[in-house]
């Protein structure tokens, strides 16, 4: 069993968004596996960078859809994205400075926010987009 499993409760029904969520889950699984394998922090840092960059790209994708379709939850959802981005960038900086290492606690924290966000606010978004032709 993978560290984080994508399942139907994570599905939002927008192909592009679902594929991006899967990719985020894959990246977190890679980071977990590399940590279990005891890889160097520099190798872990590269995966962390990829995860953070892809998260930012993913949030932009959702926010573009919100604006395009006039999603009423735009402001609130964007605020959460901005907050998560701030945390992720902070983490990246702390990692670069050497004040933080990739630990299982940190992996649990990333797991938790990915699951919470994809099963929470992203599902509210899914309800709004249901029945709209996006793909
Ligand atoms: Fe998302
Ligand atoms: Fe989101």
């Amino acid at each position: 069993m993978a560290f984080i499993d994508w399942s139907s409760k994570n599905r939002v029904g927008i192909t592009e968004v679902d594929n991006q969520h899967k990719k985020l889950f894959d990246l977190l699984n890679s980071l977990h596996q590399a940590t279990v394998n005891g890889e160097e922090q520099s190798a872990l840092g590269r995966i962390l960078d990829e995860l953070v960059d892809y998260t930012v790209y993913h949030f932009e994708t959702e926010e573009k859809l919100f604006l395009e379709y006039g999603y009423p939850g735009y402001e609130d959802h964007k605020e959460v994205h901005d907050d998560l981005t701030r945390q992720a960038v902070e983490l990246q900086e702390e990692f670069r400075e050497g004040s933080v290492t990739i630990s299982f606690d940190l992996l649990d924290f990333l797991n938790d926010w990915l699951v919470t966000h994809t099963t929470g606010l992203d599902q509210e978004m899914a309800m709004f987009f249901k029945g709209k032709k996006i793909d």
Side-chain angles (χ1 to χ4, degrees):
M1 194 171 149
F3 176 60
I4 183 166
D5 273 312
W6 195 91
S7 73
S8 57
K9 71 179 174 25
N10 307 109
R11 185 190 306 279
V12 296
I14 305 163
T15 308
E16 189 183 18
V17 174
D18 279 328
N19 287 339
Q20 290 183 359
H21 284 162
K22 284 179 191 164
K23 164 109 178 168
L24 286 170
F25 279 40
D26 285 346
L27 283 167
L28 183 56
N29 278 326
S30 301
L31 188 58
H32 178 260
Q33 194 54 55
T35 307
V36 170
N37 294 346
E39 288 181 27
E40 305 262 336
Q41 288 288 322
S42 59
L44 303 181
R46 280 194 291 277
I47 307 174
L48 179 69
D49 285 344
E50 210 185 327
L51 180 61
V52 173
D53 289 350
Y54 198 78
T55 299
V56 170
Y57 167 72
H58 166 64
F59 288 167
E60 283 169 6
T61 303
E62 285 187 3
E63 288 161 18
K64 261 186 224 151
L65 283 172
F66 296 164
L67 290 176
E68 207 178 316
Y69 289 83
Y71 178 49
Y74 172 78
E75 300 273 338
D76 288 346
H77 201 134
K78 186 175 186 322
E79 211 174 288
V80 173
H81 282 174
D82 288 349
D83 200 51
L84 288 171
T85 302
R86 256 195 308 276
Q87 286 182 51
V89 170
E90 221 174 86
L91 177 70
Q92 215 176 12
E93 278 164 10
E94 285 170 359
F95 180 83
R96 283 190 191 133
E97 288 164 2
S99 58
V100 134
T101 53
I102 308 292
S103 63
F104 289 105
D105 276 352
L106 177 71
L107 289 162
D108 282 340
F109 163 77
L110 292 170
N111 187 325
D112 191 56
W113 82 244
L114 254 182
V115 170
T116 303
H117 194 69
T118 54
T119 59
L121 265 193
D122 280 357
Q123 293 303 318
E124 284 181 29
M125 159 188 90
M127 273 180 329
F128 172 80
F129 282 99
K130 210 169 175 185
K132 292 190 167 52
K133 270 237 151 292
I134 295 164
D135 304 294

